[in-house]
Amino acid sequence: MPRRRLSRRGAATAELVMVLPVLVAVTIGLVWLLAVGAAQVRAVDAARETARALARGDDRAEAVDRGVSVGPRGTSVAVETDGDRVVAVAEASVRGPGGLFGFLPAVTVHARAVAAAEEEAAP
């Protein structure tokens, strides 16, 4: 009885078709992680910028507006004064890229900055 030899033709293509969606999903996930990292850095900048401006004696509303403009979209900045220290906390939510991860909850980034209030120089 002769043996039939199975053809391996097209096996690589079939394997690629099976793996390609996973590779695309992993790539998009990595891009999302980079976006979250960049948003975290911008939140730190927003908190630091706000705390620094308040420590210099700038107007509170202007300092908060500056922090909101520096942070990622949707940033909120809260400020409190603790004796001679100014504390600014920035918070923002980061959604998935292109709506592809819409089923997942948004990632919230937080940052806190503390600055010592500068003393005004005597004239």
Side-chain angles (χ1 to χ4, degrees):
M1 183 181 268
R3 283 192 168 166
R4 291 181 57 185
R5 192 166 177 209
L6 295 176
S7 172
R8 299 270 181 202
R9 215 172 152 176
T13 304
E15 291 169 1
L16 179 64
V17 167
M18 296 293 287
V19 173
L20 194 59
V22 174
L23 292 176
V24 169
V26 168
T27 302
I28 291 171
L30 290 174
V31 169
W32 186 22
L33 287 176
L34 287 173
V36 169
Q40 178 64 42
V41 169
R42 290 181 64 195
V44 168
D45 289 343
R48 185 178 59 230
E49 206 48 48
T50 304
R52 185 182 301 146
L54 288 171
R56 278 193 313 253
D58 291 359
D59 180 56
R60 185 183 193 108
E62 288 177 10
V64 169
D65 286 344
R66 182 178 298 140
V68 168
S69 69
V70 169
R73 184 182 311 162
T75 298
S76 64
V77 178
V79 177
E80 66 181 59
T81 306
D82 182 20
D84 63 342
R85 299 181 324 153
V86 177
V87 180
V89 177
E91 182 176 303
S93 292
V94 181
R95 307 282 302 144
L100 295 174
F101 292 109
F103 60 93
L104 294 175
V107 175
T108 303
V109 292
H110 303 272
R112 182 175 186 266
V114 179
E118 297 178 5
E119 295 181 22
E120 295 183 24

PDB file of all heavy atoms in Angstrom, residues 103-119:
ATOM      1  N   PHE A 103     -12.996  48.627  25.698  1.00  0.00           N
ATOM      2  CA  PHE A 103     -13.616  47.741  26.686  1.00  0.00           C
ATOM      3  C   PHE A 103     -12.847  47.739  28.008  1.00  0.00           C
ATOM      4  O   PHE A 103     -13.363  47.316  29.026  1.00  0.00           O
ATOM      5  CB  PHE A 103     -13.735  46.316  26.140  1.00  0.00           C
ATOM      6  CG  PHE A 103     -12.420  45.693  25.785  1.00  0.00           C
ATOM      7  CD1 PHE A 103     -11.728  44.925  26.699  1.00  0.00           C
ATOM      8  CD2 PHE A 103     -11.867  45.890  24.518  1.00  0.00           C
ATOM      9  CE1 PHE A 103     -10.515  44.351  26.376  1.00  0.00           C
ATOM     10  CE2 PHE A 103     -10.662  45.321  24.177  1.00  0.00           C
ATOM     11  CZ  PHE A 103      -9.974  44.553  25.113  1.00  0.00           C
ATOM     12  N   LEU A 104     -11.617  48.243  27.992  1.00  0.00           N
ATOM     13  CA  LEU A 104     -10.819  48.313  29.215  1.00  0.00           C
ATOM     14  C   LEU A 104     -11.033  49.661  29.900  1.00  0.00           C
ATOM     15  O   LEU A 104     -11.263  50.669  29.238  1.00  0.00           O
ATOM     16  CB  LEU A 104      -9.339  48.151  28.897  1.00  0.00           C
ATOM     17  CG  LEU A 104      -8.907  46.798  28.361  1.00  0.00           C
ATOM     18  CD1 LEU A 104      -7.433  46.834  27.968  1.00  0.00           C
ATOM     19  CD2 LEU A 104      -9.139  45.719  29.396  1.00  0.00           C
ATOM     20  N   PRO A 105     -10.947  49.701  31.222  1.00  0.00           N
ATOM     21  CA  PRO A 105     -11.079  50.993  31.906  1.00  0.00           C
ATOM     22  C   PRO A 105      -9.864  51.871  31.613  1.00  0.00           C
ATOM     23  O   PRO A 105      -8.784  51.375  31.285  1.00  0.00           O
ATOM     24  CB  PRO A 105     -11.129  50.598  33.386  1.00  0.00           C
ATOM     25  CG  PRO A 105     -10.490  49.262  33.462  1.00  0.00           C
ATOM     26  CD  PRO A 105     -10.748  48.592  32.145  1.00  0.00           C
ATOM     27  N   ALA A 106     -10.049  53.167  31.726  1.00  0.00           N
ATOM     28  CA  ALA A 106      -8.956  54.105  31.507  1.00  0.00           C
ATOM     29  C   ALA A 106      -7.923  53.964  32.620  1.00  0.00           C
ATOM     30  O   ALA A 106      -8.240  53.576  33.742  1.00  0.00           O
ATOM     31  CB  ALA A 106      -9.487  55.534  31.471  1.00  0.00           C
ATOM     32  N   VAL A 107      -6.689  54.280  32.290  1.00  0.00           N
ATOM     33  CA  VAL A 107      -5.611  54.278  33.277  1.00  0.00           C
ATOM     34  C   VAL A 107      -5.511  55.692  33.843  1.00  0.00           C
ATOM     35  O   VAL A 107      -5.500  56.663  33.085  1.00  0.00           O
ATOM     36  CB  VAL A 107      -4.273  53.882  32.621  1.00  0.00           C
ATOM     37  CG1 VAL A 107      -3.133  53.994  33.621  1.00  0.00           C
ATOM     38  CG2 VAL A 107      -4.358  52.482  32.066  1.00  0.00           C
ATOM     39  N   THR A 108      -5.479  55.819  35.161  1.00  0.00           N
ATOM     40  CA  THR A 108      -5.368  57.128  35.795  1.00  0.00           C
ATOM     41  C   THR A 108      -3.930  57.332  36.271  1.00  0.00           C
ATOM     42  O   THR A 108      -3.383  56.478  36.965  1.00  0.00           O
ATOM     43  CB  THR A 108      -6.332  57.242  36.983  1.00  0.00           C
ATOM     44  OG1 THR A 108      -7.657  56.993  36.515  1.00  0.00           O
ATOM     45  CG2 THR A 108      -6.268  58.614  37.605  1.00  0.00           C
ATOM     46  N   VAL A 109      -3.353  58.443  35.853  1.00  0.00           N
ATOM     47  CA  VAL A 109      -2.001  58.783  36.287  1.00  0.00           C
ATOM     48  C   VAL A 109      -2.092  59.884  37.341  1.00  0.00           C
ATOM     49  O   VAL A 109      -2.952  60.769  37.260  1.00  0.00           O
ATOM     50  CB  VAL A 109      -1.108  59.218  35.100  1.00  0.00           C
ATOM     51  CG1 VAL A 109      -0.844  58.053  34.173  1.00  0.00           C
ATOM     52  CG2 VAL A 109      -1.716  60.366  34.329  1.00  0.00           C
ATOM     53  N   HIS A 110      -1.228  59.791  38.348  1.00  0.00           N
ATOM     54  CA  HIS A 110      -1.197  60.756  39.448  1.00  0.00           C
ATOM     55  C   HIS A 110       0.219  61.290  39.596  1.00  0.00           C
ATOM     56  O   HIS A 110       1.180  60.556  39.351  1.00  0.00           O
ATOM     57  CB  HIS A 110      -1.555  60.092  40.786  1.00  0.00           C
ATOM     58  CG  HIS A 110      -2.874  59.422  40.816  1.00  0.00           C
ATOM     59  ND1 HIS A 110      -4.018  60.079  41.138  1.00  0.00           N
ATOM     60  CD2 HIS A 110      -3.238  58.153  40.550  1.00  0.00           C
ATOM     61  CE1 HIS A 110      -5.033  59.231  41.082  1.00  0.00           C
ATOM     62  NE2 HIS A 110      -4.576  58.052  40.720  1.00  0.00           N
ATOM     63  N   ALA A 111       0.321  62.520  40.032  1.00  0.00           N
ATOM     64  CA  ALA A 111       1.629  63.081  40.354  1.00  0.00           C
ATOM     65  C   ALA A 111       1.454  64.079  41.484  1.00  0.00           C
ATOM     66  O   ALA A 111       0.435  64.770  41.569  1.00  0.00           O
ATOM     67  CB  ALA A 111       2.242  63.754  39.138  1.00  0.00           C
ATOM     68  N   ARG A 112       2.448  64.152  42.345  1.00  0.00           N
ATOM     69  CA  ARG A 112       2.414  65.062  43.496  1.00  0.00           C
ATOM     70  C   ARG A 112       3.736  65.799  43.545  1.00  0.00           C
ATOM     71  O   ARG A 112       4.796  65.183  43.410  1.00  0.00           O
ATOM     72  CB  ARG A 112       2.211  64.248  44.770  1.00  0.00           C
ATOM     73  CG  ARG A 112       2.119  65.043  46.026  1.00  0.00           C
ATOM     74  CD  ARG A 112       1.788  64.100  47.195  1.00  0.00           C
ATOM     75  NE  ARG A 112       1.544  64.819  48.404  1.00  0.00           N
ATOM     76  CZ  ARG A 112       2.471  65.057  49.328  1.00  0.00           C
ATOM     77  NH1 ARG A 112       3.694  64.612  49.161  1.00  0.00           N
ATOM     78  NH2 ARG A 112       2.166  65.734  50.414  1.00  0.00           N
ATOM     79  N   ALA A 113       3.661  67.090  43.731  1.00  0.00           N
ATOM     80  CA  ALA A 113       4.875  67.900  43.832  1.00  0.00           C
ATOM     81  C   ALA A 113       4.763  68.817  45.048  1.00  0.00           C
ATOM     82  O   ALA A 113       3.699  69.352  45.339  1.00  0.00           O
ATOM     83  CB  ALA A 113       5.078  68.729  42.573  1.00  0.00           C
ATOM     84  N   VAL A 114       5.877  68.980  45.734  1.00  0.00           N
ATOM     85  CA  VAL A 114       5.938  69.841  46.913  1.00  0.00           C
ATOM     86  C   VAL A 114       7.035  70.868  46.682  1.00  0.00           C
ATOM     87  O   VAL A 114       8.127  70.530  46.229  1.00  0.00           O
ATOM     88  CB  VAL A 114       6.249  69.013  48.186  1.00  0.00           C
ATOM     89  CG1 VAL A 114       6.328  69.902  49.407  1.00  0.00           C
ATOM     90  CG2 VAL A 114       5.219  67.914  48.376  1.00  0.00           C
ATOM     91  N   ALA A 115       6.729  72.121  47.003  1.00  0.00           N
ATOM     92  CA  ALA A 115       7.722  73.186  46.863  1.00  0.00           C
ATOM     93  C   ALA A 115       7.662  74.061  48.106  1.00  0.00           C
ATOM     94  O   ALA A 115       6.587  74.295  48.667  1.00  0.00           O
ATOM     95  CB  ALA A 115       7.452  74.020  45.616  1.00  0.00           C
ATOM     96  N   ALA A 116       8.819  74.527  48.535  1.00  0.00           N
ATOM     97  CA  ALA A 116       8.888  75.443  49.673  1.00  0.00           C
ATOM     98  C   ALA A 116       8.561  76.846  49.185  1.00  0.00           C
ATOM     99  O   ALA A 116       9.064  77.301  48.159  1.00  0.00           O
ATOM    100  CB  ALA A 116      10.279  75.422  50.284  1.00  0.00           C
ATOM    101  N   ALA A 117       7.660  77.505  49.910  1.00  0.00           N
ATOM    102  CA  ALA A 117       7.271  78.857  49.542  1.00  0.00           C
ATOM    103  C   ALA A 117       8.490  79.780  49.678  1.00  0.00           C
ATOM    104  O   ALA A 117       9.208  79.731  50.677  1.00  0.00           O
ATOM    105  CB  ALA A 117       6.134  79.340  50.408  1.00  0.00           C
ATOM    106  N   GLU A 118       8.701  80.575  48.646  1.00  0.00           N
ATOM    107  CA  GLU A 118       9.835  81.505  48.672  1.00  0.00           C
ATOM    108  C   GLU A 118       9.465  82.714  49.511  1.00  0.00           C
ATOM    109  O   GLU A 118       8.348  83.216  49.462  1.00  0.00           O
ATOM    110  CB  GLU A 118      10.183  81.926  47.246  1.00  0.00           C
ATOM    111  CG  GLU A 118      10.634  80.782  46.394  1.00  0.00           C
ATOM    112  CD  GLU A 118      10.938  81.213  44.957  1.00  0.00           C
ATOM    113  OE1 GLU A 118      10.882  82.422  44.675  1.00  0.00           O
ATOM    114  OE2 GLU A 118      11.201  80.324  44.151  1.00  0.00           O
ATOM    115  N   GLU A 119      10.420  83.161  50.258  1.00  0.00           N
ATOM    116  CA  GLU A 119      10.202  84.362  51.077  1.00  0.00           C
ATOM    117  C   GLU A 119      10.430  85.586  50.207  1.00  0.00           C
ATOM    118  O   GLU A 119      11.352  85.622  49.388  1.00  0.00           O
ATOM    119  CB  GLU A 119      11.156  84.370  52.267  1.00  0.00           C
ATOM    120  CG  GLU A 119      10.904  83.244  53.231  1.00  0.00           C
ATOM    121  CD  GLU A 119      11.852  83.281  54.410  1.00  0.00           C
ATOM    122  OE1 GLU A 119      12.404  84.358  54.694  1.00  0.00           O
ATOM    123  OE2 GLU A 119      12.034  82.240  55.038  1.00  0.00           O
TER     124      GLU A 119
END
